[in-house]
Amino acid sequence: MISLRRLFACKTHSLQTKLLVRAVHHEVRVKHSNSQHENGLHKFQLQQANYDTDYLLNPANLPLIRDNIEHRKGIGNIQLVHELHNRIKAVPAEQIPERDQLAGQLQEELRKIPNKTHPDVLAYGAEPKVIRYYNEKPKFEKGKVFEFSEMAKKMNIFRMEKLGNFTGHKSYYLTGELAELEQALIKYAVTKLLASKFKLITVPDVLPARVIESCGMNTHGERNQVYKLNFPHETLCLSGTSEMALAGYFSGTITDESELPLRLAAVSRCFRAETSGLHDEKGIYRVHQFTKVEMFSVCRPDQSESMLEEFRDIEVGLFDALGLHFQLLDMPACELGAPAYRKYDIEAWMPGRGMYGEISSCSDCTDYQARRLGIRYRADDAQLRYAHTVNGTACAIPRMLIALLENFQNSDYTITIPAPLRPFMRGKERISRKKLLPELKLTKRLTQEEIC
C-alpha cells in the first residue's frame, strides 16, 4: 500500500512539473506575441501544444516510452526530453534567455515523440495481421492481363508520357470516360458518407506548416513529402490530405460533449512531393497530386475506438460493393507513423501488377493531434478535456482507377463498370476504346524574347 506521504510527494511532483511547463510555455508565448506585434506581421495563431507531461516526464515511464519509440522506427528521444526538462528546472527564473532557449528545445523534442501504440498491435512484430479477405480474385481468359497504364493507353483515355516540360514528372491526364469514372467514384463515396450522417465540408489546399506538423507530418529537411510555398511571413504548404485541413478547422476550438462524435467528409486535391522508382509503383500508383475523399471525426476518448471501427466498416462496404478482391490489414507499430495509435489498411488485388496495393486506410490518433492543435470539448461536468481524432480514406482516386481497370478489363479492350458506379456514369455498363488522342511532342522552352 502506498503511504500518504509518498502519495502526497507524487502529486506534488506532478503539480510542480505542470506549473513549470506552463510557466515556460507562457514565457515563450508572450515573447513570440510581442515580436510579431513589433514587426507588424500577421501570422496564423496556433496555440502552444500541450503535451501529456504527466506521462512523458514521469521517470517511471521511461522504459515504456523508449520501447514504444523503438517499435515505431526510432523517431524521438525521450532521454533528451528528460535531460532538457531537468536543465530547465535548474535554471533560475530570472535567467529568461537561457530558459527560453531550453524551452524551445524541449518543445521541439516533445513534438517528435510518437503516440502510444495499441497493445494488440505490439504482438504483430514487423508484419501486419490479415483480418479478412473479401471477394474472389478475378479469372481471366487466356491472354495477357494488362497493367493500368498499358490498358488505359490502348483505350486512349490516359496520358502520362511527354509531359516533363509541361506539367512535370509524375503528371497525368485522365480523359473521356476515365475522367468520368473519376467523378463517379467521388460521387459514389460522398453519397455513401452523406447517408451515414457525415457533413460535407470544402477545405483549403494551402495550410500553415505548423498545422501540418501538428498533424504528424514533417515539413523540415530535404527529404519530406511536403511542397512549400514562398511566403514572407509564414511557412505555407500544399496540403497532403484534407485530414490536415479538417484538423486545423477545429484548432483552438471547444465543442460541447453533447455534439460528439462529429463526422466530417471532404473532397480535395492532395499534394505529395514523394515519388518512387519501384517497378510495382509505376504509372499513377504514386503521383505528386491526386483527388481523395476523406473521413474525419472529433470525438470523446471513449468513442475513438468505435469510430475507427465505423470508418473501417464504411471503407470495407464501399469496396466490397464494387466486387474488388482485397485484404483488410491491422498494421504493425513500425507502420503507424507518429500520430496513429492503431491503423487499418485495405489492399486491393491488382492483377496487372500481380500484387496487392494499398487503396485505403483509417487511423485512431487518440489525443495526439488534439493536444498539438488545442482541440477540446466541454464535458458534462463542465471540465475541458482534449478530444480524440480519427481519420480514414473513403476513396483515393488513382489507386481505385488502377484496381478497377486491372480487375474488370475485357479481352476486347473494354472495362466493365461495377453496378454501383453506373448511376454516376449515365447508366453506362462499359468503358470502350476511343479514337487516338493528339500526340504531344517535347519541345525546347522558349525564352520571352523568342515569344515576342
Side-chain angles (χ1 to χ4, degrees):
M1 181 179 293
I2 300 176
S3 67
L4 290 176
R5 179 177 296 177
R6 183 180 175 188
L7 179 63
F8 178 76
C10 290
K11 288 188 175 181
T12 302
H13 170 76
S14 176
L15 178 60
Q16 288 174 341
T17 296
K18 281 186 175 181
L19 291 175
L20 174 63
V21 172
R22 287 176 182 173
V24 172
H25 284 182
H26 177 70
E27 291 173 10
V28 173
R29 283 199 303 270
V30 170
K31 182 177 180 182
H32 180 66
S33 176
N34 291 339
S35 175
Q36 282 186 304
H37 179 71
E38 291 169 4
N39 293 327
L41 304 183
H42 299 282
K43 298 182 70 175
F44 174 79
Q45 296 299 317
L46 182 64
Q47 66 182 64
Q48 186 79 37
N50 190 346
Y51 302 101
D52 187 0
T53 51
D54 282 349
Y55 176 77
L56 294 173
L57 297 180
N58 186 340
N61 295 328
L62 266 172
L64 284 174
I65 300 172
R66 191 181 295 115
D67 288 346
N68 186 55
I69 291 172
E70 291 179 1
H71 284 304
R72 299 175 70 130
K73 296 187 176 179
I75 305 300
N77 187 339
I78 191 61
Q79 191 65 46
L80 179 57
V81 166
H82 280 250
E83 291 174 5
L84 289 168
H85 175 59
N86 291 331
R87 288 173 62 186
I88 291 174
K89 289 194 295 184
V91 176
E94 62 272 12
Q95 296 182 17
I96 296 176
E98 185 176 353
R99 287 172 63 89
D100 284 353
Q101 183 180 10
L102 290 172
Q105 294 176 18
L106 177 60
Q107 285 292 304
E108 179 60 23
E109 294 304 321
L110 283 168
R111 183 185 66 84
K112 297 176 185 177
I113 304 299
N115 201 349
K116 298 175 185 177
T117 305
H118 193 288
D120 290 352
V121 172
L122 294 174
Y124 299 164
E127 296 297 323
K129 178 181 178 180
V130 179
I131 304 298
R132 182 181 166 185
Y133 292 98
Y134 292 82
N135 299 316
E136 298 294 327
K137 288 184 180 180
K139 296 179 180 179
F140 297 94
E141 298 177 2
K142 291 183 179 179
K144 181 178 180 180
V145 179
F146 293 103
E147 179 266 331
F148 168 84
S149 298
E150 298 172 318
M151 189 65 184
K153 286 179 207 171
K154 289 181 180 296
M155 298 175 67
N156 300 314
I157 53 177
F158 170 77
R159 172 178 286 134
M160 198 170 190
E161 286 78 18
K162 299 180 180 179
L163 299 177
N165 68 335
F166 180 45
T167 54
H169 177 61
K170 285 289 185 178
S171 299
Y172 59 96
Y173 280 82
L174 308 178
T175 63
E177 290 172 319
L178 189 57
E180 286 188 52
L181 185 58
E182 175 184 37
Q183 297 304 314
L185 283 167
I186 295 170
K187 293 173 184 176
Y188 168 65
V190 169
T191 299
K192 294 291 185 182
L193 295 181
L194 292 176
S196 299
K197 307 303 181 184
F198 280 74
K199 293 183 179 179
L200 191 62
I201 182 170
T202 299
V203 299
D205 293 330
V206 178
L207 297 174
R210 286 173 291 164
V211 170
I212 293 175
E213 290 165 1
S214 297
C215 290
M217 183 174 285
N218 181 36
T219 67
H220 302 288
E222 295 183 1
R223 295 182 63 85
N224 60 64
Q225 300 181 33
V226 180
Y227 283 109
K228 291 185 178 180
L229 305 177
N230 291 325
F231 191 70
H233 307 318
E234 175 81 43
T235 302
L236 298 177
C237 305
L238 294 179
S239 177
T241 167
S242 56
E243 167 203 339
M244 300 170 182
L246 291 168
Y249 180 79
F250 289 98
S251 174
T253 63
I254 299 172
T255 305
D256 286 336
E257 181 176 354
S258 60
E259 298 178 23
L260 302 179
L262 297 174
R263 297 173 177 84
L264 297 174
V267 181
S268 73
R269 293 292 279 177
C270 304
F271 301 87
R272 309 281 176 89
E274 64 177 343
T275 56
S276 171
L278 297 176
H279 178 74
D280 290 340
E281 297 185 351
K282 66 180 180 179
I284 64 170
Y285 188 89
R286 194 177 299 279
V287 289
H288 287 312
Q289 58 181 341
F290 58 94
T291 302
K292 181 158 69 85
V293 182
E294 184 77 0
M295 300 180 288
F296 188 80
S297 177
V298 176
C299 58
R300 297 194 315 260
D302 63 325
Q303 295 173 325
S304 62
E305 184 173 350
S306 62
M307 287 305 301
L308 178 67
E309 305 299 314
E310 179 180 323
F311 280 22
R312 180 200 65 188
D313 292 345
I314 288 173
E315 293 170 354
V316 166
L318 285 166
F319 309 134
D320 188 24
L322 295 177
L324 292 171
H325 170 63
F326 60 91
Q327 57 182 1
L328 174 64
L329 307 175
D330 195 358
M331 301 306 289
C334 61
E335 297 294 336
L336 296 181
Y341 174 69
R342 189 173 200 171
K343 180 165 80 86
Y344 293 107
D345 276 8
I346 292 178
E347 294 184 347
W349 176 245
M350 299 176 176
R353 297 162 191 262
M355 60 171 250
Y356 287 97
E358 181 189 343
I359 60 171
S360 181
S361 67
C362 55
S363 302
D364 178 3
C365 296
T366 62
D367 63 355
Y368 180 95
Q369 296 172 338
R371 284 184 170 275
R372 287 160 171 76
L373 290 168
I375 305 173
R376 297 180 293 174
Y377 71 97
R378 181 175 286 102
D380 291 338
D381 59 4
Q383 294 294 314
L384 295 180
R385 297 187 174 92
Y386 283 98
H388 279 197
T389 60
V390 180
N391 66 79
T393 300
C395 185
I397 296 301
R399 296 190 187 178
M400 283 300 296
L401 293 178
I402 291 173
L404 292 175
L405 263 68
E406 293 191 11
N407 279 279
F408 301 124
Q409 60 183 273
N410 303 306
S411 58
D412 59 352
Y413 302 128
T414 62
I415 304 295
T416 300
I417 301 171
L421 296 178
R422 292 173 189 172
F424 308 104
M425 289 285 293
R426 296 178 289 164
K428 295 179 182 178
E429 296 183 1
R430 289 196 174 196
I431 297 176
S432 304
R433 189 177 187 185
K434 302 304 174 189
K435 294 180 179 179
L436 287 175
L437 294 170
E439 182 179 358
L440 286 180
K441 296 182 179 180
L442 289 174
T443 59
K444 69 174 184 177
R445 295 183 181 273
L446 298 178
T447 64
Q448 187 63 34
E449 290 78 10
E450 290 174 312
I451 294 174
C452 297

